[in-house]
């Protein structure tokens, strides 16, 4: 079945770059997403990438996709304390990409 | 982006009572909504897919008589936890699906924290 994996924890110092990695198994994924969850809150879409793209940049966020290795990463430049949260990788699957499969989430801690 | 609300945000109830959670799409219509459950420090678990005007589709292992879902309109889906027990305590999150330009997007509600005493 479909499976999305992520490392569970990441700590970085304020001002450094953070790289959160994700691997997935379903090669038919149409879109891949990154969501952010702050404590006690729902999920906020950060960015997404179409499966035929290699890279997408949006301000401090850079998404890299290696479709051959089924590897997705999210780079946050100049990480701030407000970036501390759980980051979920998700792939859309199904005949029309209509269903989502989420990874376990990576808890990012930003140290002063 | 589209806004999804949930009500209530927190609820504490006694064991054996039923709790209803509402999920609303505020500025768009959603034919499909999803209900997720999140245990502490764990990922989202899809419970069911709610389709407007028809019965919900439940994931394997989710009791449909325990978690009643009603999607009566294009902007409202409700999840009722019947005869709640402490093990039902969790964070419940709904999402609404929007399709535009061939891409599906899910917009998430802020979640409802249920505590069953």
């Amino acid at each position: 079945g479909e499976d999305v994996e992520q490392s569970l924890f990441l700590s970085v110092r304020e001002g450094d770059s953070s790289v959160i990695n994700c691997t997935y198994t379903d090669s038919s994924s149409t879109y891949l997403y990154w969501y952010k969850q702050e404590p006690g809150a729902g999920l906020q879409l950060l960015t997404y990438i179409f499966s035929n793209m290699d890279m997408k940049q949006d301000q401090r966020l850079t998404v890299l996709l290696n479709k051959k290795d089924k590897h997705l990463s999210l780079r946050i430049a100049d990480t701030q304390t407000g970036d501390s949260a759980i980051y979920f990788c998700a792939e859309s699957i199904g005949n029309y990409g209509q269903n989502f499969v989420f990874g376990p989430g990576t808890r990012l801690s930003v140290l002063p | 982006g589209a806004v999804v609300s949930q009500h209530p945000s927190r609820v504490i109830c006694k064991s054996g009572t039923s709790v209803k959670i509402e999920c609303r799409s505020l500025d768009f219509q959603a034919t499909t909504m999803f209900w997720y459950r999140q245990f502490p420090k764990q990922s989202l678990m899809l419970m069911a897919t709610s389709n407007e005007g028809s019965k919900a589709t439940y994931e394997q292992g989710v009791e449909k008589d325990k978690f009643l879902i009603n999607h009566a309109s294009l902007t409202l889906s409700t999840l009722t936890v019947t005869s709640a027990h402490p093990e039902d305590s969790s964070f419940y999150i709904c999402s609404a699906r929007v399709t535009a330009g061939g891409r599906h997007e899910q917009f998430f509600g802020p979640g409802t924290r249920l505590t069953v005493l």
Side-chain angles (χ1 to χ4, degrees):
Chain A
E2 312 86 14
D3 195 18
V4 178
E5 294 184 353
Q6 298 175 241
S7 53
L8 298 182
F9 301 97
L10 176 66
S11 291
V12 299
R13 293 222 172 263
E14 193 173 11
D16 289 349
S17 292
S18 309
V19 179
I20 303 172
N21 295 301
C22 168
T23 57
Y24 59 97
T25 57
D26 194 320
S27 58
S28 65
S29 299
T30 49
Y31 285 90
L32 294 126
Y33 300 82
W34 283 103
Y35 285 86
K36 176 182 180 182
Q37 185 182 35
E38 296 184 359
L43 276 71
Q44 170 198 356
L45 176 66
L46 283 180
T47 188
Y48 64 90
I49 187 168
F50 187 45
S51 57
N52 69 354
M53 296 171 62
D54 298 325
M55 185 184 87
K56 181 177 181 180
Q57 187 153 2
D58 184 1
Q59 298 182 337
R60 292 192 297 125
L61 305 178
T62 302
V63 179
L64 296 178
L65 175 61
N66 181 328
K67 196 171 181 182
K68 175 175 170 289
D69 294 338
K70 300 189 186 70
H71 182 267
L72 181 75
S73 69
L74 173 69
R75 179 177 181 270
I76 305 173
D78 187 24
T79 312
Q80 303 298 307
T81 54
D83 295 324
S84 294
I86 301 175
Y87 291 81
F88 289 94
C89 167
E91 59 172 345
S92 62
I93 60 170
N95 291 336
Y96 307 101
Q98 71 273 30
N99 294 322
F100 282 42
V101 177
F102 285 87
T106 298
R107 185 177 295 274
L108 173 65
S109 299
V110 181
L111 308 174
Chain B
V3 178
V4 175
S5 71
Q6 280 184 243
H7 177 80
S9 57
R10 290 178 180 270
V11 57
I12 300 172
C13 69
K14 291 183 178 179
S15 188
T17 59
S18 293
V19 175
K20 179 186 282 188
I21 304 170
E22 293 185 347
C23 176
R24 291 182 186 272
S25 56
L26 296 186
D27 50 1
F28 66 101
Q29 294 182 330
T31 54
T32 304
M33 291 183 172
F34 301 89
W35 286 97
Y36 294 85
R37 183 173 179 178
Q38 186 180 31
F39 292 100
K41 299 184 180 180
Q42 294 190 33
S43 188
L44 301 168
M45 181 193 80
L46 178 64
M47 298 174 67
T49 302
S50 169
N51 295 298
E52 187 267 336
S54 64
K55 291 183 179 179
T57 304
Y58 290 81
E59 295 299 302
Q60 193 172 8
V62 178
E63 300 174 60
K64 60 182 179 183
D65 295 330
K66 170 80 172 173
F67 299 99
L68 300 178
I69 291 172
N70 186 297
H71 194 154
S73 77
L74 288 171
T75 59
L76 173 64
S77 175
T78 60
L79 167 69
T80 301
V81 183
T82 63
S83 187
H85 290 282
E87 58 265 29
D88 298 324
S89 298
S90 194
F91 194 52
Y92 293 87
I93 301 178
C94 74
S95 70
R97 187 170 72 201
V98 172
T99 303
R103 188 177 69 84
H104 299 280
E105 182 52 80
Q106 286 195 30
F107 295 95
F108 287 82
T112 297
R113 186 164 299 283
L114 170 64
T115 303
V116 184
L117 304 175

